[in-house]
C-alpha cells in the first residue's frame, strides 16, 4: 500500500562544532615580531591561547510530516534553522540525529546555482541537473524549450554559467527545478535575488506546481506568498518547531514573536555594536510628537513619529534607511527608503550619535496594528550592502474615533474623502449619450 506521506521527519537534529578564538586586544605585526624575539631570549616556547570549541545545534528534535500534494511553508527569524532544515532534507548535508523519509524524487532550489557546474554552459547544466534529479534524457529534452522560455536566458544558453549574473543564475536554476517533473519541490528564499517581475512569475509557477498535486516545502520571509501558496505553516525558532498551524495563525504568531523586545513604544537593542559596523541603531521610539513620551497606541487623527537613535563611527557613502510597515497578517502597507523625498540625510553622515525621525501624517493609515521593519544599507561602502539589519523595531495600534464606522472600517487607509454634488449635465458635451460616453 502506497503511503500518502511524502516527507516524514522524526527527531531531526543537526549539530555544528564552532571554534572561537578569544582575543582580548588587537595584535599588530610589530607585536608578533617582538613577542617572537622575546621568546627566543627567554628560551621559552610561545604559548598560544587555545580556541574554545562549542557545540551548536542548528536543529534540535524536529518532527513533522508533509502529505502528498500538500504545500507547506516554513517561516522563522534569521538563524532559526530554516535553510539548514532544507539542506538536510535535500541530502546536501547529513543530519546529526533523527530520521528523514522521502517518498519520491526531490528537486531543490536552495542557493543560487545549486547543482550547477560553473564551467558548463546553461544548456549542459540543464541536462546535468535533470540527470542528477533522476530524469531520462528524453524527458529533459521534451521539457527543454519550456525551461529555456521561462528562464529568459536563451541568448546566453551556450555560455558557461560562471559568466552569468546572479539574476540569470536564479532564473535558469528555478526553471530547471520547477519544470522537471519531481514529486517533491523544495524552495528556499532565493527568489529575493530576482527582480519583482521574476518573483511574480516564480510565484505563479509555484502555484501551478501546487495545483498539479506535487508536494512543496517553501521557506520565505514574504508573508503574502506564504499566505497565498501554503496550506499549513511551520514556525521554527532556535532550531525547534514552535508551531505547526494554518498559515494565518502561524503568520500572526511569527510576527508577534519577531516584535519581542518592543515595550510600550520603546525598542532597545540588546546587543552591543559589532566592531566592524560603521553605523548602528541603538533604539527606536514611537511617539505622538517628537518630544512626547513613548507610546504604542495612537488615533488616526494624529501623526505618529518614529524616532531612530543611532551611532556612527565614520561617514558611510551611499548609506540609506529602508522601512516597511506591516499588518499582523503579513501584508506590507508601506515600503520606502530615505531617498524617496529627494534628500537623503544618511549619505556620508558625520561620525557621532544622533536621532533620525520619520513622521507618518494623520489620516493616512487605517485602524489596526502595525509593525515597523527597519534596515540600513549602502551599495557604495565596503561594509555593505547590508550595514545594519535591525529587523522589527516597533509595533503600534491606530484607532479611528472620528468616523461613523470607526475601527470597523475595512481597508488600509483612513483618509476622509469628501463627497460633493457635481453639475453632471454641464460637464457632458452636447450630443453625447451618457451610457456611451468615453
Amino acid at each position: 500500500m502506497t503511503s500518502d506521506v511524502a516527507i516524514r521527519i522524526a527527531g531531526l537534529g543537526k549539530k555544528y562544532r564552532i571554534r572561537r578564538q578569544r582575543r582580548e586586544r588587537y595584535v599588530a605585526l610589530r607585536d608578533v615580531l617582538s613577542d617572537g624575539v622575546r621568546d627566543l631570549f627567554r628560551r621559552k616556547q610561545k604559548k598560544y591561547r587555545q580556541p574554545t570549541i562549542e557545540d551548536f545545534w542548528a536543529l534540535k528534535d524536529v518532527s513533522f510530516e508533509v502529505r502528498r500534494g500538500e504545500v507547506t511553508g516554513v517561516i522563522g527569524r534569521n538563524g532559526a534553522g530554516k535553510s539548514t532544515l532544507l539542506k538536510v532534507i535535500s541530502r546536501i548535508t547529513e543530519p546529526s540525529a533523527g530520521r528523514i523519509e522521502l517518498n519520491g524524487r526531490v528537486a531543490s532550489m536552495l542557493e543560487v546555482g545549486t547543482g550547477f557546474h560553473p564551467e558548463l554552459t546553461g544548456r549542459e547544466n540543464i541536462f546535468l541537473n535533470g540527470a542528477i534529479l533522476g530524469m531520462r534524457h528524453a524527458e529533459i529534452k521534451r521539457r527543454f524549450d519550456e525551461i529555456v522560455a521561462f528562464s529568459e536566458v536563451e541568448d546566453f544558453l551556450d555560455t558557461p554559467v560562471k559568466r552569468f549574473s546572479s539574476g540569470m543564475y536564479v532564473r535558469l536554476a528555478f526553471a530547471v527545478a520547477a519544470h522537471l517533473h519531481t514529486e517533491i519541490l523544495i524552495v528556499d528564499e532565493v527568489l529575493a535575488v530576482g527582480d519583482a517581475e521574476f518573483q511574480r512569475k516564480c510565484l505563479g509557477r509555484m502555484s501551478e506546481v501546487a495545483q498539479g498535486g506535487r508536494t512543496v516545502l517553501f521557506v520565505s520571509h514574504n508573508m503574502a506568498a506564504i499566505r497565498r501558496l501554503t496550506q499549513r505553516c511551520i514556525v521554527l525558532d532556535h532550531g525547534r518547531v514552535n508551531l505547526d498551524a494554518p498559515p494565518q495563525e502561524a503568520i500572526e504568531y511569527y510576527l508577534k514573536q519577531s516584535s519581542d523586545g518592543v515595550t510600550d513604544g520603546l525598542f532597545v537593542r540588546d546587543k552591543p555594536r559589532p566592531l566592524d559596523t560603521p553605523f548602528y541603531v541603538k533604539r527606536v521610539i514611537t511617539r505622538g510628537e517628537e518630544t512626547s513620551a513613548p507610546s504604542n497606541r495612537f488615533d488616526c487623527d494624529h501623526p505618529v513619529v518614529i524616532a531612530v537613535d543611532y551611532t556612527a563611527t565614520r561617514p558611510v557613502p551611499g548609506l540609506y534607511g529602508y522601512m516597511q510597515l506591516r499588518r499582523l497578517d503579513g501584508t506590507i502597507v508601506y515600503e520606502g527608503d530615505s531617498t524617496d523625498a529627494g534628500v537623503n540625510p544618511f549619505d556620508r553622515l558625520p561620525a557621532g550619535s544622533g536621532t533620525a525621525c520619520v513622521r507618518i501624517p494623520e489620516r493616512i493609515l487605517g485602524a489596526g496594528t502595525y509593525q515597523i521593519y527597519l534596515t540600513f544599507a549602502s551599495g557604495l561602502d565596503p561594509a555593505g550592502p547590508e550595514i545594519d539589519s535591525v529587523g522589527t523595531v516597533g509595533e503600534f495600534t491606530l484607532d479611528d474615533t472620528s468616523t461613523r464606522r470607526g475601527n470597523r472600517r475595512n481597508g488600509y487607509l483612513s483618509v476622509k474623502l469628501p463627497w460633493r454634488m457635481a453639475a453632471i449635465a454641464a460637464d457632458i458635451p452636447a450630443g453625447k449619450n451618457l451610457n456611451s460616453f468615453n
Side-chain angles (χ1 to χ4, degrees):
M1 181 175 179
T2 304
S3 171
D4 65 343
V5 175
I7 303 173
R8 179 178 283 114
I9 309 295
L12 187 65
K14 179 61 181 178
K15 180 176 68 174
Y16 293 100
R17 306 210 97 183
I18 301 176
R19 296 169 63 90
R20 299 184 185 275
Q21 180 70 50
R22 298 179 59 188
R23 293 191 301 174
E24 298 180 356
R25 65 182 181 89
Y26 172 75
V27 180
L29 177 60
R30 62 174 179 271
D31 298 322
V32 175
L33 295 175
S34 61
D35 287 348
V37 173
R38 189 180 301 113
D39 288 342
L40 287 175
F41 279 103
R42 293 178 180 175
R43 295 183 179 179
K44 291 182 179 180
Q45 184 179 4
K46 187 174 181 180
K47 296 181 180 179
Y48 293 93
R49 188 182 298 273
Q50 294 295 322
T52 59
I53 299 177
E54 300 177 6
D55 288 340
F56 170 71
W57 286 89
L59 297 172
K60 186 72 172 179
D61 196 26
V62 173
S63 300
F64 63 88
E65 292 181 353
V66 180
R67 298 190 177 278
R68 293 183 186 275
E70 190 174 48
V71 183
T72 301
V74 181
I75 59 178
R77 305 180 189 182
N78 291 333
K82 305 184 297 298
S83 295
T84 301
L85 173 65
L86 298 195
K87 288 179 180 178
V88 173
I89 295 176
S90 302
R91 303 186 182 122
I92 292 175
T93 183
E94 290 292 325
S96 304
R99 291 184 58 196
I100 303 173
E101 295 180 18
L102 301 174
N103 295 314
R105 293 177 296 185
V106 180
S108 302
M109 183 59 183
L110 305 183
E111 296 175 355
V112 177
T114 299
F116 278 15
H117 193 294
E119 299 294 338
L120 299 182
T121 66
R123 184 187 305 272
E124 292 166 336
N125 269 296
I126 291 175
F127 283 94
L128 172 64
N129 207 251
I132 291 173
L133 294 174
M135 303 294 172
R136 295 182 178 181
H137 185 86
E139 184 179 358
I140 302 170
K141 192 173 181 179
R142 187 169 62 251
R143 297 177 179 271
F144 184 84
D145 291 342
E146 188 179 358
I147 293 171
V148 174
F150 185 92
S151 66
E152 299 178 0
V153 298
E154 184 175 3
D155 293 341
F156 307 94
L157 201 57
D158 294 307
T159 301
V161 297
K162 67 180 181 181
R163 297 194 176 99
F164 280 21
S165 68
S166 60
M168 293 165 61
Y169 235 130
V170 168
R171 287 176 185 273
L172 187 58
F174 183 87
V176 172
H179 287 80
L180 293 180
H181 187 75
T182 57
E183 289 76 23
I184 302 171
L185 177 63
I186 298 177
V187 183
D188 201 351
E189 186 73 277
V190 292
L191 303 186
V193 179
D195 55 35
E197 181 182 354
F198 176 66
Q199 290 181 32
R200 286 193 294 271
K201 191 174 180 179
C202 289
L203 290 175
R205 177 60 189 172
M206 286 185 60
S207 181
E208 294 175 9
V209 168
Q211 292 172 7
R214 294 167 66 183
T215 305
V216 180
L217 200 58
F218 179 43
V219 163
S220 180
H221 287 98
N222 186 335
M223 296 300 111
I226 290 288
R227 187 170 59 250
R228 169 187 166 188
L229 294 175
T230 66
Q231 299 158 352
R232 58 184 272 233
C233 194
I234 294 168
V235 182
L236 286 183
D237 186 40
H238 293 93
R240 297 178 181 272
V241 175
N242 267 18
L243 184 68
D244 186 344
Q248 190 57 45
E249 181 182 344
I251 289 170
E252 291 183 8
Y253 176 87
Y254 163 67
L255 291 176
K256 280 290 186 183
Q257 180 191 55
S258 67
S259 65
D260 288 348
V262 180
T263 306
D264 297 329
L266 176 64
F267 166 83
V268 179
R269 206 77 174 268
D270 58 357
K271 297 179 180 178
R273 181 184 67 83
L275 295 178
D276 57 348
T277 301
F279 180 93
Y280 190 71
V281 173
K282 297 185 294 185
R283 68 175 184 173
V284 178
I285 302 172
T286 53
R287 40 170 60 117
E289 297 292 343
E290 291 188 13
T291 58
S292 60
S295 178
N296 62 354
R297 199 166 197 108
F298 306 93
D299 195 281
C300 290
D301 287 310
H302 298 92
V304 177
V305 175
I306 302 170
V308 181
D309 293 345
Y310 66 86
T311 179
T313 59
R314 61 172 174 82
V316 179
L319 180 68
Y320 65 91
Y322 167 86
M323 185 175 73
Q324 284 185 352
L325 297 179
R326 305 170 176 170
R327 295 291 288 259
L328 290 184
D329 64 357
T331 303
I332 299 173
V333 297
Y334 169 82
E335 179 181 60
D337 62 53
S338 58
T339 67
D340 289 344
V343 178
N344 179 16
F346 297 103
D347 187 11
R348 302 182 189 277
L349 186 72
S353 298
T355 301
C357 292
V358 179
R359 185 179 184 273
I360 303 173
E362 60 274 14
R363 281 291 153 191
I364 295 292
L365 299 176
T369 299
Y370 299 85
Q371 290 190 333
I372 307 165
Y373 176 87
L374 193 65
T375 189
F376 287 83
S378 170
L380 303 177
D381 194 85
E386 291 188 355
I387 301 296
D388 188 16
S389 297
V390 197
T392 303
V393 297
E395 183 177 298
F396 63 89
T397 300
L398 290 176
D399 294 307
D400 190 343
T401 60
S402 64
T403 62
R404 187 166 64 88
R405 288 180 174 81
N407 285 358
R408 294 182 290 109
R409 290 180 74 186
N410 292 317
Y412 301 122
L413 304 178
S414 66
V415 61
K416 297 177 180 178
L417 300 177
W419 291 55
R420 66 182 180 86
M421 307 306 292
I424 301 295
D427 293 338
I428 301 176
K432 286 286 186 179
N433 186 314
L434 183 61
N435 293 329
S436 61
F437 184 74
N438 54 45

